[in-house]
């Protein structure tokens, strides 16, 4: 019997595909890239045409050995990383590492991990697409050239540890430019006037907005202008309904999700960060354990810029919609998808792999995040294949009897749904989040033209124009997509990088540039305008697409970029002044502004009066001033018993120091529970190689007789109802649970039923 080795990227995907293929196939995972450019050198031979020098990633050596051993006893190797440029490059690197003859090694790809898609791919292998590989190599080398050449300059002129990159630096510029718009914004005053009317002396009033006065649209800029309007309306003795017009309007459904629209919608509807969205989407794509069925891939590939849908998926959706909702919910013609600006159209839109797997059917097998995201994807796709909604828009005009023929004129509009169409599914997707919006809709009584209505009250309202809002992660992704900056696979890591580097911080859900971000951006805009120019960056993405299509050699692309970049770098090295990042903090000793500086131990604040004033203050990893030294009541030194100890800040964060014997000990975060073993200590949060865990505060590594009680899951405040032991929170794929920490007890309960506030939390370790 012939035997084949299938190599995928992730272990989760390997498990799902292994179940699908069965006997005769060995499925292994590379766990992402196995080769890359070296970390301690540029790794590119520029003189020989930008030849990259790849090395095996240090922690992947064991993986490589395992793959080489697995490839020895098989008849063929099928390379099955993700269906994008990165996946194609991984397949190419694997082919070089395994060194098998071409006839024994083929590339396969699939857009969804279903039995039909995987088996079709296995039966239709192909060669590695070298153009796609070259496009990925060009991007990797391009980013390495920018990073390794530009970052040292930033270290020299600003501070150590900084980095720059084509996409990340443009993203920072977008955020900084928006901040400058906000700071330069000058608010303007304006007023609006609404009138409350009643029909037939009824108690319930309805409102209409002033739309015309003295035969023109009113522009009310201040209180005086509003007073003049109100004075002129005192002469109106009667208001009549002058016009009632109703027209139907079609409202078409939105296309299925692409990567950027999924990230935006998950942010708005579910309050998910971009990273959280992509983690859950990756899990849904790679496969979820569905009881006796085993692992099943639930959605199509989630990194895409195309709303195109396979004809077979449209056929299945049409059958499902007709069966569930009726033939009237099917559109007469199917909608054709489209591709985002500069997109590659390499994949379908994001959709359920099988539409018949409804969110409610899968809910028992999914975590909270997985369920909520799958429901969003499922409803968006189903609604996209349904008929348009028909809305009846009614516009009512109410006129007074001033000298002008129809003056003053108040106008109101109302909307009624004549046929819900796709909203039958779409509204269900937002039913839980849109009740407040529904409550705001006013009830308008049935009116007739010529009917007199009574004025109850005039409602003048003052407004001020607002500055543009800061970008959220979702709106930043939208702008990046519109400008053609980056690609679906780069949005999430780019946003994470600019926050990790300290260029941007989150204030609530909004992204705000730090002093460091503003300072670095100003220098890049001045000395490297191309690197942070949105049009230049978008054009570079287009040129990379040309490499993928075989229209341009990748070495030629790199040469056209590198030569002018090198000249700009040389000029900037000579002309760029050393930049001091002035913070809003003042020196505690002399009162001068503090500067943000760095050393091999991290960032810190240093007085701008140096060397006369040498005062410094440490910064946290978030570039906030570290807490000041202070006594902590109730904290007793474990060595000499002195109380209180002093909280200080060091390289690894806050710690406690004894003022008597100089003993140091960590600050322990108590969870409010007594240790059930020794009854002396408190349960506290601890950190270990596996992450967070919980243990007794009396434990000491130096005392073998100390209490060593531990919990590997987060404890909650309520005791077990059966044995009174500590309950712990367990997020599971089949639903979040709480269970007893006493193994002999065995008590379990759904987290939502036991304590609704626990649902959606994450495990500590």
């Amino acid at each position: 019997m012939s035997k084949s080795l299938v190599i995928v990227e992730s272990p989760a995907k390997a498990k799902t595909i292994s179940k699908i293929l069965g006997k005769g196939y060995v499925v292994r995972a590379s766990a992402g890239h196995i080769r890359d450019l070296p970390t301690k050198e540029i790794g590119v031979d520029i003189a020989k045409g930008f030849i990259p020098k790849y090395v095996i990633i240090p922690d992947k050596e064991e993986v490589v050995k395992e793959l080489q051993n697995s490839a020895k006893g098989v008849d063929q190797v099928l390379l099955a990383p993700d269906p994008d440029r990165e996946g194609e490059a991984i397949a190419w690197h694997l082919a070089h590492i395994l060194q098998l003859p071409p006839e024994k090694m083929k590339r396969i790809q699939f857009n969804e991990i279903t039995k039909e898609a995987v088996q079709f791919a296995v039966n239709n292998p192909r060669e590695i697409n070298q153009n796609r590989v070259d496009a990925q190599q060009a991007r990797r080398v391009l980013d390495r050239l920018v990073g390794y050449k530009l970052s040292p300059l930033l270290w020299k002129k600003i501070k150590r540890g900084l980095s720059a990159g084509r996409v990340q630096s443009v993203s920072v510029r977008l955020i900084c430019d928006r901040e400058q718009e906000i700071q330069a914004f000058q608010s303007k005053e304006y007023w609006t006037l609404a009138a409350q009317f009643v029909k037939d002396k009824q108690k319930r009033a309805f409102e209409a907005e002033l739309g015309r006065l003295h035969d023109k649209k009113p522009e009310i800029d201040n209180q005086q202008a509003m007073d003049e309007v109100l004075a002129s309306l005192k002469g109106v003795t009667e208001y009549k309904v002058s016009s009632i017009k109703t027209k139907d309007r079609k409202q078409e459904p939105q296309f299925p999700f692409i990567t950027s629209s999924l990230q935006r919608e998950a942010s708005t509807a579910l309050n998910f960060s971009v990273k959280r969205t992509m983690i859950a989407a990756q899990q849904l794509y790679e496969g979820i354990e569905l009881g006796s069925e085993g692992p099943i891939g639930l959605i199509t590939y989630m990194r895409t810029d195309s709303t195109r849908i396979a004809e077979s998926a449209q056929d299945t959706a049409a059958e499902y919609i007709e069966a569930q909702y009726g033939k009237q919910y099917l559109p007469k013609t199917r909608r054709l998808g489209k591709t985002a600006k500069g997109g590659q159209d390499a994949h379908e839109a994001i959709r359920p792999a099988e539409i018949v797997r409804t969110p409610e059917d899968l809910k028992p097998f999914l975590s909270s995040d997985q369920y909520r995201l799958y429901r969003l994807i499922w409803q968006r796709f189903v609604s996209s294949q349904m008929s348009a909604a028909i809305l009846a828009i009614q516009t009512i005009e109410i006129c007074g009897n001033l000298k002008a023929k129809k003056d003053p004129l108040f106008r109101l509009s109302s909307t009624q749904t004549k046929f819900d169409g796709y909203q039958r599914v779409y509204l269900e997707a937002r039913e839980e989040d849109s009740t407040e919006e529904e409550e705001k809709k006013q009830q308008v009584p049935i009116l007739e033209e010529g009917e007199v209505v009574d004025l109850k009250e005039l409602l003048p309202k003052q407004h001020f124009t607002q500055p543009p809002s800061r970008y959220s992660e979702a709106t930043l992704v939208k702008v990046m997509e519109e400008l053609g900056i980056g690609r679906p696979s780069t949005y999430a890591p780019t946003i994470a990088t600019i926050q990790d580097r300290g260029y941007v911080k989150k204030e609530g859900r909004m992204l705000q540039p730090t002093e460091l971000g503003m300072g670095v951006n100003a220098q890049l805009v001045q000395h490297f305008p191309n690197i942070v120019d949105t049009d230049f960056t978008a054009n570079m993405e287009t040129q990379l697409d040309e490499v993928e299509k075989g229209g341009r050699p990748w070495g030629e692309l790199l040469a056209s970029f590198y030569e002018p970049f090198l000249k700009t770098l040389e000029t900037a090295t000579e002309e760029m002044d050393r930049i001091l990042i002035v913070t809003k903090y003042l020196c505690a000793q002399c009162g001068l502004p503090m500067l943000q500086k760095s050393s091999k131990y991290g960032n810190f604040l240093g007085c701008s009066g140096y060397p006369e004033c040498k005062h410094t203050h440490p910064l946290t990893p978030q570039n906030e001033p570290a807490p000041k030294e202070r006594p902590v009541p109730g904290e007793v030194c474990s060595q000499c018993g002195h109380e209180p100890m002093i909280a200080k800040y060091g390289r690894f964060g806050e710690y406690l120091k004894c003022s008597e014997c100089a003993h140091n000990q960590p600050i322990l975060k108590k969870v409010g529970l007594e240790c059930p073993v020794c009854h002396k200590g408190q349960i506290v949060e601890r950190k270990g190689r596996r992450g967070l865990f919980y243990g007794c505060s009396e434990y000491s590594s130096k005392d073998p007789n100390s209490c060593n009680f531990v919990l590997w899951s987060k404890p909650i405040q309520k005791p077990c109802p059966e044995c009174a032991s500590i309950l712990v929170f367990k997020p599971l794929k089949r639903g979040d649970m709480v269970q007893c920490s006493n193994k002999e007890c065995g008590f379990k309960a759904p987290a939502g039923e036991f304590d609704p506030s626990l649902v959606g939390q994450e495990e500590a370790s």
Side-chain angles (χ1 to χ4, degrees):
M1 181 180 179
S2 62
K3 197 172 185 180
S4 299
L5 170 66
V6 180
I7 303 177
V8 297
E9 284 188 47
S10 77
K13 193 192 296 185
K15 187 176 181 181
T16 307
I17 293 174
S18 180
K19 173 188 174 289
I20 291 173
L21 293 177
K23 295 181 180 179
Y25 292 88
V26 178
V27 185
R28 296 285 183 264
S30 69
H33 278 275
I34 57 169
R35 290 200 311 178
D36 198 4
L37 300 174
T39 57
K40 295 184 179 180
E41 59 176 295
I42 192 169
V44 179
D45 193 333
I46 298 171
K48 293 184 178 179
F50 304 95
I51 303 299
K53 303 174 183 177
Y54 293 115
V55 297
I56 294 175
I57 299 171
D59 61 357
K60 291 296 182 69
E61 292 175 352
E62 290 300 318
V63 174
V64 169
K65 288 181 183 178
E66 181 186 348
L67 294 176
Q68 288 173 332
N69 290 333
S70 298
K72 288 179 180 177
V74 298
D75 299 293
Q76 67 171 344
V77 176
L78 300 175
L79 305 173
D82 287 345
D84 55 16
R85 283 181 191 163
E86 292 296 320
E88 203 73 18
I90 291 173
W92 181 76
H93 286 298
L94 285 167
H96 278 262
I97 289 292
L98 298 179
Q99 294 182 334
L100 295 177
E103 62 271 14
K104 282 193 66 175
M105 192 176 309
K106 298 292 181 183
R107 168 80 163 117
I108 63 171
Q109 72 173 56
F110 30 80
N111 194 46
E112 59 190 65
I113 306 179
T114 59
K115 185 175 182 179
E116 294 76 12
V118 172
Q119 289 183 340
F120 179 84
V122 169
N123 293 330
N124 294 273
R126 61 170 175 81
E127 302 298 324
I128 291 174
N129 185 328
Q130 191 60 44
N131 289 334
R132 187 180 286 185
V133 174
D134 289 346
Q136 190 277 341
Q137 290 192 97
R139 174 189 286 277
R140 185 72 186 95
V141 171
L142 197 61
D143 291 342
R144 174 55 66 96
L145 292 174
V146 173
Y148 262 71
K149 293 292 184 180
L150 190 50
S151 296
L153 177 63
L154 298 180
W155 291 19
K156 180 180 178 182
K157 299 293 186 177
I158 304 178
K159 74 184 189 92
R160 291 182 59 84
L162 299 182
S163 70
R166 290 182 314 107
V167 177
Q168 77 171 55
S169 296
V170 174
S171 303
V172 172
R173 181 179 184 177
L174 290 171
I175 295 169
C176 291
D177 286 351
R178 177 57 58 89
E179 194 69 19
Q180 290 171 345
E181 288 180 51
I182 294 170
Q183 292 171 359
F185 181 80
Q186 293 184 346
S187 183
K188 294 182 179 179
E189 179 184 7
Y190 70 99
W191 289 70
T192 57
L193 180 63
Q196 280 194 346
F197 296 102
V198 293
K199 174 185 175 179
D200 299 331
K201 309 298 182 182
Q202 294 176 357
K203 291 184 178 179
R204 179 179 291 175
F206 60 93
E207 288 188 13
E209 293 283 336
L210 179 63
R212 190 175 69 241
L213 183 64
H214 305 313
D215 285 332
K216 63 180 181 180
K217 184 178 180 180
E219 294 184 3
I220 311 172
D221 298 330
N222 50 51
Q223 176 77 61
Q224 182 180 350
M226 175 55 74
D227 291 341
E228 292 173 0
V229 169
L230 294 174
S232 70
L233 293 178
K234 287 182 179 179
V236 181
T237 58
E238 185 180 67
Y239 287 94
K240 286 185 178 181
V241 178
S242 61
S243 170
I244 299 177
K245 295 179 181 179
T246 302
K247 63 178 181 179
D248 290 346
R249 179 167 64 87
K250 273 189 176 184
Q251 190 171 78
E252 298 287 348
Q254 293 179 294
F255 286 112
F257 286 125
I258 60 177
T259 304
S260 59
S261 59
L262 175 64
Q263 292 168 348
R264 294 198 304 272
E265 188 75 359
S267 173
T268 303
L270 308 178
N271 199 23
F272 281 10
S273 67
V274 169
K275 181 178 180 181
R276 185 176 175 185
T277 299
M278 296 311 290
I279 288 174
Q282 184 85 33
Q283 293 165 347
L284 292 171
Y285 168 68
E286 291 180 345
I288 303 294
E289 288 280 352
L290 302 183
S292 59
E293 288 190 79
I296 300 291
L298 298 180
I299 64 171
T300 54
Y301 192 54
M302 65 287 162
R303 295 187 181 93
T304 176
D305 49 26
S306 172
T307 54
R308 178 175 53 81
I309 294 294
E311 189 173 342
S312 59
Q314 289 185 314
D315 292 341
T316 305
E319 293 172 7
Y320 180 86
I321 291 166
E322 184 174 354
Q324 293 294 319
Y325 307 110
K327 196 168 185 178
Q328 68 273 29
Y329 284 91
L330 287 175
K332 292 181 180 179
T333 57
R334 291 179 177 177
R335 297 177 186 86
L336 298 177
K338 59 182 181 180
T339 304
K341 176 183 177 181
Q344 301 171 66
D345 197 27
H347 315 294
E348 286 187 67
I350 304 169
R351 61 170 176 81
E354 298 178 74
I355 195 173
V356 293
R357 296 188 187 274
T358 67
E360 292 308 312
D361 290 342
L362 295 176
K363 190 173 183 179
F365 305 103
L366 304 178
S367 69
S368 175
D369 281 9
Q370 291 166 352
Y371 166 71
R372 295 170 72 196
L373 193 68
Y374 182 77
R375 183 180 63 176
L376 206 63
I377 293 169
W378 189 91
Q379 290 173 332
R380 176 72 166 244
F381 171 68
V382 174
S383 68
S384 76
Q385 304 302 300
M386 297 175 73
S387 300
I390 307 297
L391 306 178
I393 313 296
Q394 186 181 65
T395 303
I396 301 172
E397 293 183 347
I398 299 173
C399 290
N401 60 358
L402 284 179
K403 293 180 180 179
K405 188 177 181 181
K406 291 184 177 180
D407 203 5
L409 182 144
F410 288 85
R411 184 180 290 115
L412 72 151
S413 296
S414 63
T415 302
Q416 289 187 333
T417 302
K418 293 180 67 174
F419 174 62
D420 55 1
Y422 78 91
Q423 292 183 353
R424 174 108 179 239
V425 172
Y426 182 85
L427 287 181
E428 289 171 2
R430 284 164 178 74
E431 186 176 354
E432 298 170 1
D433 304 316
S434 60
T435 52
E436 183 178 344
E437 192 73 24
E438 292 294 321
E439 289 172 358
K440 289 181 180 179
K441 293 182 178 179
Q442 61 174 322
Q443 296 293 321
V444 180
I446 298 174
L447 300 171
E448 296 180 2
E449 287 191 14
E451 184 175 1
V452 175
V453 293
D454 296 321
L455 175 67
K456 182 180 180 182
E457 186 180 6
L458 291 173
L459 303 171
K461 191 172 183 180
Q462 183 185 36
H463 307 270
F464 292 93
T465 56
Q466 297 297 312
S469 60
R470 293 188 176 106
Y471 292 115
S472 65
E473 289 189 357
T475 54
L476 181 62
V477 166
K478 182 180 181 181
V479 172
M480 291 172 69
E481 178 194 29
E482 289 172 348
L483 296 175
I485 298 167
R487 287 295 179 260
S489 60
T490 65
Y491 298 142
T494 297
I495 291 173
T497 297
I498 62 178
Q499 293 179 71
D500 292 343
R501 294 285 187 268
Y503 298 145
V504 173
K505 62 181 178 180
K506 256 189 172 182
E507 291 289 339
R509 294 175 64 175
M510 298 294 116
L511 298 173
Q512 181 179 1
T514 61
E515 291 94 343
L516 175 63
M518 294 290 281
V520 171
N521 177 67
Q523 292 306 305
L524 293 179
V525 169
Q526 180 180 349
H527 297 284
F528 296 91
N530 277 357
I531 296 296
V532 291
D533 180 72
T534 54
D535 290 338
F536 176 85
T537 305
N539 182 55
M540 186 60 69
E541 296 289 352
T542 302
Q543 293 184 59
L544 289 169
D545 293 342
E546 286 298 312
V547 173
E548 180 171 340
K549 295 173 185 176
R552 186 175 190 185
W554 66 294
E556 178 187 302
L557 168 61
L558 292 171
S560 68
F561 166 81
Y562 185 70
E563 291 175 10
F565 170 69
L566 195 59
K567 291 179 181 178
T568 304
L569 184 68
E570 292 170 353
T571 302
T573 303
E574 296 177 3
E575 297 181 356
M576 185 186 289
D577 296 327
R578 181 167 176 78
I579 304 302
L580 299 177
I581 301 174
V582 182
T583 70
K584 60 184 178 182
Y585 307 109
L586 300 179
C587 177
Q589 293 187 3
C590 70
L592 288 175
M594 299 287 276
L595 306 177
Q596 188 180 130
K597 297 185 174 184
S598 64
S599 70
K600 62 181 180 180
Y601 300 113
N603 294 336
F604 67 95
L605 293 173
C607 182
S608 58
Y610 181 85
E612 286 77 15
C613 179
K614 296 182 173 62
H615 178 64
T616 63
H617 190 87
L619 287 171
T620 67
Q622 291 74 38
N623 285 325
E624 298 291 338
K628 293 182 179 180
E629 186 176 304
R630 68 193 189 284
V632 184
E635 289 290 351
V636 181
C637 177
S638 61
Q639 294 291 323
C640 70
H642 179 74
E643 181 186 357
M645 298 191 77
I646 307 299
K648 305 191 79 171
Y649 192 86
R651 288 179 61 189
F652 304 105
E654 271 199 301
Y655 66 97
L656 295 173
K657 187 177 185 69
C658 180
S659 59
E660 288 292 318
C661 69
H663 169 68
N664 295 340
Q665 62 191 53
I667 294 178
L668 301 176
K669 184 178 179 181
K670 299 176 182 178
V671 299
L673 295 171
E674 182 186 86
C675 176
V677 175
C678 70
H679 301 288
K680 294 180 181 179
Q682 294 285 316
I683 302 301
V684 298
E685 209 175 79
R686 294 184 180 275
K687 290 183 180 179
R689 287 182 297 175
R690 292 172 56 184
L692 286 179
F693 67 98
Y694 301 85
C696 179
S697 60
E698 292 294 302
Y699 171 77
S700 171
S701 58
K702 298 178 181 178
D703 182 4
N705 296 318
S706 62
C707 181
N708 61 0
F709 174 77
V710 295
L711 294 169
W712 295 104
S713 296
K714 183 178 182 178
I716 66 174
Q717 296 296 319
K718 297 180 181 179
C720 175
E722 295 185 4
C723 72
S725 297
I726 294 176
L727 287 175
V728 295
F729 174 73
K730 301 288 289 186
L732 303 174
K733 288 184 178 180
R734 297 188 181 186
D736 299 339
M737 304 286 289
V738 293
Q739 66 183 48
C740 185
S741 60
N742 179 2
K743 295 181 180 179
E744 296 179 0
C745 173
F747 172 79
K748 293 182 179 179
E753 294 178 12
F754 196 86
D755 183 352
S757 66
L758 295 173
V759 176
Q761 294 189 25
E762 296 181 3
E763 180 121 30
S765 61

